[in-house]
């Protein structure tokens, strides 16, 4: 009887979570899967025509979709290559608890709590070719003004810089939590064995931090694939589609061109790509170390 009562209590507490997951996660996925098989117009959602996998076939010859996917992969890969080592180094620095690290911690975490839209507007002003802060600094050291957001070669790196600036604080926070979870006894034993600081990081910290690193890599990848506000506010995908990202392309198809069925199909493919990448990352970074 007591076991039955405990089970009912657990079910009572879990029900809101399952209802939330069902309504806000699984139901939208089901709607997108179904909608991707129909020809839907946003202005007349009741008038739908079943077309099977036609949207998915169209995607194969959609150059804009391929360009948006390539830009998103470049954006994500660059963020992983730069942001993760940078975050790991900053987390190690904060963990040393030297004088000044409190100020450093505040400086790192402040961008994370800044709204993306506000950050995009501020960075857009800083990138202004004529009166922007960055060009003023470059001019002071004798470098010609740069076009940044109006150049097809510089626009994407400019948006990547904003993304790294804003998201580094979150990855530092996660890695710092992982570092603080490693028992200090391990480091004391390594020190007694004569291990240097670098050897301790390489042979102790990195292997034991692998699960945290995996979580950080997956989270960073998902956030990077969802990039939208920066592109909408700063470039709207231009110039010449050089900053066109997949989520922004889905938005354009749904709300600008009103092709809701095709937007659903794009969203389904994006979800499948993210699941495949997450599984691959989990396989590559899996570890047998436990502590």
């Amino acid at each position: 009887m007591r076991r039955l009562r405990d089970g009912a209590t657990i079910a009572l507490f879990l029900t809101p979570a399952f209802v939330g997951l069902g309504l806000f996660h699984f139901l939208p996925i089901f709607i997108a899967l179904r909608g991707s098989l129909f020809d839907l117009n946003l202005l007349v959602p009741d008038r739908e025509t079943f077309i099977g996998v036609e949207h998915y076939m169209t995607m194969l010859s959609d150059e804009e979709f391929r360009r948006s996917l390539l830009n998103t992969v470049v954006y994500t890969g660059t963020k992983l290559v730069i942001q993760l080592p940078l975050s790991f180094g900053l987390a190690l620095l904060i963990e040393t608890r030297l004088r000044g690290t409190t100020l450093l911690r505040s400086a790192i975490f402040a961008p994370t709590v800044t709204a993306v839209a506000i950050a995009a507007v501020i960075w857009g002003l800083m990138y202004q070719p004529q009166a922007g802060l960055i060009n003023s600094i470059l001019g002071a050291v004798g470098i010609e003004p740069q076009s940044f957001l109006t150049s097809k070669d510089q626009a994407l790196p400019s948006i990547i810089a904003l993304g790294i600036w804003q998201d580094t604080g979150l990855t530092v926070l996660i890695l710092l939590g992982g570092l603080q979870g490693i028992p200090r006894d391990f480091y004391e034993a390594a020190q007694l064995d004569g291990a240097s600081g670098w050897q301790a990081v390489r042979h102790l910290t990195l292997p034991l931090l692998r699960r945290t690193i995996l979580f950080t890599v997956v989270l960073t990848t998902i956030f990077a694939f969802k990039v939208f506000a920066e592109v909408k506010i700063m470039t709207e995908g231009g110039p010449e589609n050089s900053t066109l990202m997949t989520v922004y392309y889905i938005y354009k198809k749904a709300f600008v061109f009103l092709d809701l069925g095709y937007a659903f199909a794009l969203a389904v493919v994006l979800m499948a790509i993210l699941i495949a990448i997450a599984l691959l990352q989990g396989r590559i970074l899996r570890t047998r170390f436990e502590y």
Side-chain angles (χ1 to χ4, degrees):
M1 187 65 185
R2 181 175 179 179
R3 184 176 296 178
L4 185 63
R5 192 167 56 245
D6 290 345
T9 305
I10 292 171
L12 182 65
F13 279 103
L14 288 178
T15 298
F18 282 123
V19 171
L21 279 173
L23 284 177
F24 301 112
H25 290 267
F26 297 118
L27 181 60
I29 291 173
F30 171 76
I31 292 173
L33 282 169
R34 181 188 176 280
S36 69
L37 303 176
F38 288 83
D39 184 16
L40 291 172
N41 188 300
L42 189 62
L43 294 181
V44 282
D46 296 335
R47 192 181 303 165
E48 58 184 26
T49 307
F50 182 77
I51 57 171
V53 296
E54 188 176 318
H55 285 316
Y56 295 97
M57 300 304 293
T58 304
M59 231 178 284
L60 296 175
S61 57
D62 187 343
E63 290 188 8
E64 276 195 300
F65 170 63
R66 288 203 296 268
R67 181 61 187 270
S68 72
L69 196 58
L70 176 63
N71 287 341
T72 306
V73 170
V74 171
Y75 177 85
T76 304
T78 308
K79 278 196 71 178
L80 287 172
V81 168
I82 297 176
Q83 185 176 318
L84 289 184
L86 177 65
S87 300
F88 181 66
L90 290 171
L92 284 176
L93 187 61
I94 293 174
E95 178 63 6
T96 58
R97 301 175 186 178
L98 295 175
R99 180 176 293 181
T101 52
T102 303
L103 183 62
L104 175 65
R105 186 183 304 162
S106 303
I108 294 169
F109 295 151
T112 305
V113 297
T114 304
V116 179
I118 295 174
V121 171
I122 293 173
W123 277 69
L125 293 173
M126 289 169 56
Y127 281 136
Q128 282 290 321
Q130 301 302 325
L133 175 63
I134 298 176
N135 269 326
S136 298
I137 295 172
L138 293 177
V141 295
I143 299 176
E144 293 290 323
Q146 303 297 311
S147 302
F148 293 120
L149 300 177
T150 55
S151 164
K152 66 177 182 180
D153 297 322
Q154 297 178 0
L156 184 56
S158 301
I159 290 181
I160 291 172
L162 166 59
I164 292 173
W165 173 81
Q166 184 151 45
D167 295 340
T168 296
L170 178 61
T171 46
V172 168
L173 188 65
I174 296 170
L175 292 172
L176 186 61
L179 285 174
Q180 291 176 344
I182 299 175
R184 308 307 303 173
D185 299 349
F186 293 177
Y187 291 104
E188 291 171 4
Q191 196 172 13
L192 288 174
D193 289 340
S196 64
W198 166 244
Q199 288 173 327
V201 170
R202 183 182 174 189
H203 299 292
L204 192 61
T205 305
L206 284 176
L208 293 178
L209 205 60
R210 204 156 174 169
R211 290 183 190 278
T212 308
I213 291 173
L214 169 61
F215 177 71
T216 309
V217 167
V218 172
L219 198 67
T220 303
T221 302
I222 293 172
F223 282 1
F225 264 79
K226 288 167 55 182
V227 61
F228 172 77
E230 300 93 321
V231 177
K232 176 76 175 84
I233 293 171
M234 297 172 76
T235 62
E236 295 192 340
E240 299 181 23
N241 287 337
S242 60
T243 60
L244 182 65
M245 303 295 181
T246 307
V247 171
Y248 183 69
Y249 185 55
I250 294 172
Y251 160 80
K252 281 179 61 178
K253 282 295 178 186
F255 299 105
V256 178
F257 300 108
L258 307 177
D259 192 351
L260 197 56
Y262 190 58
F264 277 143
L266 290 168
V268 170
V269 169
L270 180 63
M271 181 182 68
I273 291 172
L274 274 174
I275 291 173
I277 291 175
L279 291 175
L280 181 64
Q281 290 171 336
R283 186 171 182 80
I284 292 173
L285 291 173
R286 66 181 175 183
T287 178
R288 56 187 173 83
F289 294 107
E290 296 283 354
Y291 62 92

